[in-house]
Amino acid sequence: MAGDSSGARFWWRFAAGVGHQVAEYCLFLEHAHSGEYHDADHWRTQLVREHFEPTYMCGERVTAPLVNPAFIDHVHPHIARPHHPEIGIVPLPRPPLVKELRHLTSLL
């Protein structure tokens, strides 16, 4: 699974299958973004049924720390770009990215 770019979707579905609302929300967003509206509607229905509130579960997006555009070049080395035979280049974060983002957002 680790070398497969569809790994995130697998784990979101796995977590969503046991009722993890953030995983359901991720699947809703992914399907909606991909134009898979029937699948997106399935996850939306689940979220409505469970009274999911993104701001409550995921936090206010307006208060999330931002990376200063001047520092964005520090992020690029932490993104792998493997080639998938069906969908092309897939940007994937490397584990040190989290530490680098915390550092960069603390500089603001």
Side-chain angles (χ1 to χ4, degrees):
M1 250 315 141
D4 186 354
S5 62
S6 62
R9 184 182 267 195
F10 169 83
W11 288 112
W12 288 338
R13 286 183 176 164
F14 181 83
V18 295
H20 193 284
Q21 291 180 342
V22 175
E24 292 172 352
Y25 186 57
C26 288
L27 286 166
F28 163 73
L29 293 173
E30 182 192 19
H31 287 296
H33 176 75
S34 300
E36 299 166 346
Y37 301 115
H38 178 75
D39 293 329
D41 192 53
H42 166 77
W43 295 112
R44 184 197 58 78
T45 301
Q46 293 296 108
L47 293 166
V48 167
R49 186 176 299 141
E50 297 164 4
H51 307 288
F52 177 76
E53 296 179 34
T55 55
Y56 171 72
M57 294 294 290
C58 304
E60 287 285 343
R61 294 184 68 172
V62 295
T63 61
L66 299 174
V67 175
N68 185 320
F71 298 136
I72 203 70
D73 287 338
H74 295 274
V75 173
H76 290 292
H78 300 288
I79 307 291
R81 291 168 181 78
H83 185 270
H84 189 280
E86 295 175 3
I87 57 177
I89 295 176
V90 179
L92 297 172
R94 293 186 177 123
L97 178 61
V98 173
K99 184 177 178 182
E100 184 67 16
L101 288 174
R102 284 188 183 134
H103 171 71
L104 293 172
T105 56
S106 71
L107 299 175
L108 300 175

